[in-house]
Amino acid sequence: MSIEIIGKQIASLRKEKGIKQEELASYVGVSTQAVSKWENGGVPDTELLPKIADFFSVSVDSLFGRNILNYGEVKTALCKKIVDTPTEQKFKLILNYCWDMERAMFGCIPDDRSIEDYEKDIGENEQRYSTIMSDDGFTRMGIANRLQYFLIVPEIANTDKALFERIDYPSFFKDLSDKTLFEACIFLHKREGDKAFTENLLIKGLNINNDEAAKVLAFLEKYNLIYKTSIELDDETKTVYNFKPTPSFTALLIFAREMIETPNNFSYYLGGREKPYLK
């Protein structure tokens, strides 16, 4: 393979990332003219290759045109793998992809240790986590066994606008702190979502009275968790409700548990964040 390809690779990487020759020159410690010379058939000094590779976050081999992955091809291959995977296995496959990405963000090439390996190696009631907390964002992952999930949050530019604008958190948490209302959410999320019910289901299922059932229904309507329909039954008009389950409630429980029971068993842990999470 011709060594002159290095210059072409530098030019291609620089343009792909929208970087000026001056920026690369300043990082490497050479003149802009030297970078221009490389891109027009010249070759950098050998001792500069690692620094050039670091600047572009690629391997030195990549500068020689070896093992370069085309993002479009990789994306197509990953998507095809997901499409071709049986439905009942898709989420597990995607979670393993997330596990690979999580480890790659630590700056290492993921080994062959899969989530299934963790499931076998730790007790069924144990929980293993991974997290990255940097000034560019944060991740949190439940690997195994009690909870499995993956959360990635790129740095939020304006947390006031993203999280607090028009949102009354104190009222929401006050409502949810009511034991009857909280148990109603649990009770209804354990039922099939498309099954209609009347007020009597709440009275019997939660062992509450009519007034308390009315309070539960008002709470559910307030947060758009039910819709109601009037039907004629035995010459009498009855109100029937349909519950609209939301995955956000399960997610709320996951992270509320982490607030109550602080995670302490991490496979990977990267701190170093200096920015406040809310700004």
Side-chain angles (χ1 to χ4, degrees), residues 188-196 243 245:
L188 291 171
H189 273 93
K190 287 184 175 182
R191 296 180 77 246
E192 295 178 15
D194 59 351
K195 292 175 67 175
F243 181 65

Side-chain angles (χ1 to χ4, degrees), residues 52-72:
I52 295 171
D54 288 346
F55 180 76
F56 290 116
S57 299
V58 299
S59 66
V60 172
D61 270 354
S62 296
L63 298 179
F64 286 89
R66 300 175 61 188
N67 300 323
I68 298 225
L69 297 176
N70 179 286
Y71 173 70

Side-chain angles (χ1 to χ4, degrees), residues 48-164:
L48 295 178
L49 294 181
K51 199 163 187 178
I52 295 171
D54 288 346
F55 180 76
F56 290 116
S57 299
V58 299
S59 66
V60 172
D61 270 354
S62 296
L63 298 179
F64 286 89
R66 300 175 61 188
N67 300 323
I68 298 225
L69 297 176
N70 179 286
Y71 173 70
E73 293 175 351
V74 172
K75 180 174 67 173
T76 299
L78 288 175
C79 291
K80 186 175 187 307
K81 175 70 173 175
I82 294 170
V83 169
D84 293 342
T85 297
T87 302
E88 67 275 10
Q89 298 174 21
K90 286 186 193 294
F91 277 93
K92 183 68 75 174
L93 173 68
I94 294 170
L95 192 65
N96 266 307
Y97 284 161
C98 292
W99 176 223
D100 288 339
M101 290 187 291
E102 173 85 351
R103 289 178 290 176
M105 289 179 69
F106 280 87
C108 60
I109 303 299
D111 55 29
D112 293 331
R113 188 169 172 78
S114 68
I115 288 174
E116 287 76 13
D117 293 328
Y118 275 97
E119 291 173 336
K120 295 173 185 175
D121 292 346
I122 67 176
E124 63 179 15
N125 294 320
E126 292 184 61
Q127 180 65 22
R128 195 66 55 86
Y129 298 94
S130 178
T131 193
I132 296 170
M133 297 170 289
S134 80
D135 285 339
D136 298 312
F138 61 91
T139 72
R140 181 75 103 200
M141 184 168 193
I143 304 167
N145 263 331
R146 191 182 67 242
L147 281 171
Q148 293 182 327
Y149 61 88
F150 181 70
L151 172 74
I152 181 167
V153 182
E155 190 63 13
I156 303 171
N158 186 332
T159 52
D160 282 343
K161 183 175 182 180
L163 297 174
F164 299 110

